[in-house]
Amino acid sequence: MPRKNRPVNPKAEDELDSLKEEVAEELHLDDDIEKRGWENMTTREVGKIGGNMVRKMINLAEEEMDKKDGKIKKGKSTGKK
């Protein structure tokens, strides 16, 4: 089943997929994914992966903000509010 949610920045899609695989490996779910495929993973399993992805992204954002004295670098606007 194709993914419905797309990243705000389409260039980040490959990096997000890599992060998903990295987190799955850290949680020792990579073998299950290889055997059963993503479509047959339980909601609990994919929820663990997604939750840990969010945690890693928040940590990265906090580190970046700390480097910039709490400021967020303004990038190109997505046009969404």
Side-chain angles (χ1 to χ4, degrees):
M1 177 183 296
R3 183 166 52 184
K4 293 178 185 176
N5 296 329
R6 295 285 174 211
V8 173
N9 180 353
K11 294 178 185 177
E13 192 165 355
D14 289 339
E15 286 79 9
L16 288 170
D17 284 340
S18 295
L19 177 61
K20 181 169 56 174
E21 292 172 13
E22 175 186 321
V23 169
E25 186 175 335
E26 289 172 2
L27 296 172
H28 306 289
L29 293 171
D30 51 327
D31 290 337
D32 293 333
I33 294 166
E34 192 173 314
K35 289 176 190 170
R36 297 185 298 185
W38 282 102
E39 62 277 0
N40 295 312
M41 300 299 288
T42 66
T43 302
R44 184 180 185 118
E45 291 167 329
V46 294
K48 276 183 165 181
I49 293 168
N52 280 280
M53 287 176 65
V54 170
R55 192 172 295 123
K56 281 184 169 246
M57 289 186 282
I58 289 171
N59 286 337
L60 177 63
E62 288 174 345
E63 289 172 9
E64 289 298 312
M65 287 174 63
D66 187 44
K67 289 178 189 176
K68 296 178 173 104
D69 295 323
K71 296 178 183 171
I72 299 174
K73 180 182 174 187
K74 293 184 180 182
K76 292 181 181 179
S77 174
T78 61
K80 296 180 182 178
K81 291 191 178 192

